[in-house]
Amino acid sequence: MSAVFRKPKTFKLRALHGPQKFGVAGSSCQDVLRKGCLHLQLPVAGSRLCLYEDGTELTADDFWSVPDGSELVLLAAGQTWQGYVSDIRRFLSAFHKPHEGLIQAARQLLSDEQAPLRQKLLADLLHTVSENIAAETRAEDPPWFEGLESRFRTKSGYLRYSCESRIRSYLREGPFDVDACASKHSINPYGNRESRVLFSTWNLDHIIEKKRTVVPTLAEAVTARDGREVAWEYFYDLLFTSENLKLVHIACHKKTTHKLSCDPRRLYRPRTKPKRRRPARRGQ
């Protein structure tokens, strides 16, 4: 009985510390390993193949179950690989001293990357490399202040002004009904000019809606107070504090009605009962 012919499998192969990839085809794990070692000029003895995605070692048993076009890392003796997070860890270790070589390596990886998740991770890393968070003044980080009036001399001063302006206008809509966004947005407006500009697209969203609910309820409470004192502290918290405001990314805004109402038990201050005056005791 003749053996079943199988078409050789194709892979993208790279060395541990090299971002460049090359194609290789083989009919077995050992065949791919041998060709990879020949191309990278590494000894076959002690070398092994791992999946780029999660660091799983490729063996003869699972060779045919791995999809064509999968990315592999060729490890020499003594080398380890924990998946693409290893690339991220390597970048993070150099963030305190970003240099041109690091940026070039990240750009090379990004230009050759097809997986959307890894593309986003690499793009975020490149963005972070250019951050200058420790700088505070215009003289220390001139690019951050591009487009701003000359009266703004520090990052803190501008961001304080920006936040105060946005608080005064209340800022309207957003995702009010989740504890955390599934998109995992994050931002540090002190980092660089792009982060500072992007921060202007984030909004403070009223969980209990200001125009549809809070303001009409306040007006109704004032009209129907009937001698009672309106609990202005409660309405102040709803309009101006984090009790009812959430910082949200513009892409995740919910423009539908929130369908939440003010707490009817907190509209008025509790009435204080006058204390009864006990009659004075007469001397015996």
Side-chain angles (χ1 to χ4, degrees), residues 20-282:
Q20 294 183 344
K21 309 169 190 176
F22 62 94
V24 62
S27 56
S28 69
C29 183
Q30 191 65 21
D31 189 22
V32 174
L33 178 64
R34 180 181 54 79
K35 292 179 179 179
C37 288
L38 180 63
H39 183 89
L40 296 173
Q41 298 182 349
L42 293 174
V44 176
S47 297
R48 64 192 190 282
L49 298 169
C50 290
L51 296 179
Y52 174 80
E53 192 77 25
D54 58 9
T56 302
E57 184 172 347
L58 184 65
T59 65
D61 293 335
D62 52 24
F63 177 78
W64 291 104
S65 64
V66 177
D68 277 333
S70 295
E71 188 172 340
L72 304 178
V73 179
L74 178 55
L75 301 176
Q79 293 180 332
T80 60
W81 179 255
Q82 296 176 330
Y84 61 80
V85 293
S86 298
D87 273 338
I88 298 173
R89 185 179 295 109
R90 179 161 55 94
F91 289 146
L92 290 176
S93 66
F95 275 173
H96 65 290
K97 291 182 180 179
H99 53 83
E100 191 59 33
L102 170 67
I103 296 173
Q104 184 62 32
R107 286 175 177 165
Q108 178 66 37
L109 282 170
L110 182 60
S111 66
D112 199 29
E113 186 55 68
Q114 300 299 321
L117 177 59
R118 297 205 293 268
Q119 284 181 336
K120 183 178 186 306
L121 287 172
L122 288 168
D124 289 345
L125 287 168
L126 275 172
H127 179 73
T128 306
V129 166
S130 63
E131 288 186 345
N132 192 5
I133 298 172
E136 169 67 9
T137 66
R138 184 182 286 266
E140 293 172 329
D141 193 359
W144 193 92
F145 290 85
E146 288 182 11
L148 298 182
E149 298 176 29
S150 59
R151 64 191 176 100
F152 296 113
R153 308 303 304 172
T154 65
K155 294 181 180 181
S156 297
Y158 171 76
L159 290 173
R160 185 180 301 111
Y161 163 82
S162 177
C163 289
E164 288 174 353
S165 299
R166 294 165 67 190
I167 283 286
R168 282 194 291 269
S169 63
Y170 302 146
L171 301 164
R172 297 184 288 277
E173 299 158 308
F176 61 93
D177 55 355
V178 292
D179 294 330
C181 180
S183 298
K184 304 299 180 186
H185 300 293
S186 63
I187 189 172
N188 188 331
Y190 285 86
N192 51 35
R193 181 176 180 273
E194 288 73 19
S195 293
R196 188 255 298 169
V197 173
L198 180 63
F199 184 62
S200 66
T201 66
W202 288 59
N203 282 337
L204 288 168
D205 178 41
H206 285 90
I207 300 171
I208 300 176
E209 294 175 282
K210 170 180 64 78
K211 288 186 177 180
R212 290 191 179 100
T213 306
V214 178
V215 173
T217 302
L218 174 59
E220 184 179 350
V222 171
T223 303
R225 64 182 183 273
D226 191 24
R228 294 172 291 179
E229 185 176 0
V230 175
W232 63 267
E233 297 96 336
Y234 172 61
F235 288 101
Y236 178 89
D237 288 343
L238 292 181
L239 290 171
F240 300 107
T241 74
S242 58
E243 179 177 326
N244 192 45
L245 282 169
K246 177 178 287 188
L247 185 65
V248 296
H249 190 278
I250 190 171
C252 297
H253 280 187
K254 287 191 174 181
K255 301 184 184 301
T256 56
T257 303
H258 292 187
K259 297 180 181 179
L260 297 173
S261 59
C262 299
D263 188 345
R265 299 166 298 179
R266 301 180 63 185
L267 305 184
Y268 301 98
R269 285 184 172 180
R271 287 179 172 174
T272 56
K273 296 181 180 180
K275 295 182 179 179
R276 293 184 178 181
R277 302 185 66 181
R278 294 182 180 181
R281 292 185 179 181
R282 295 181 180 179

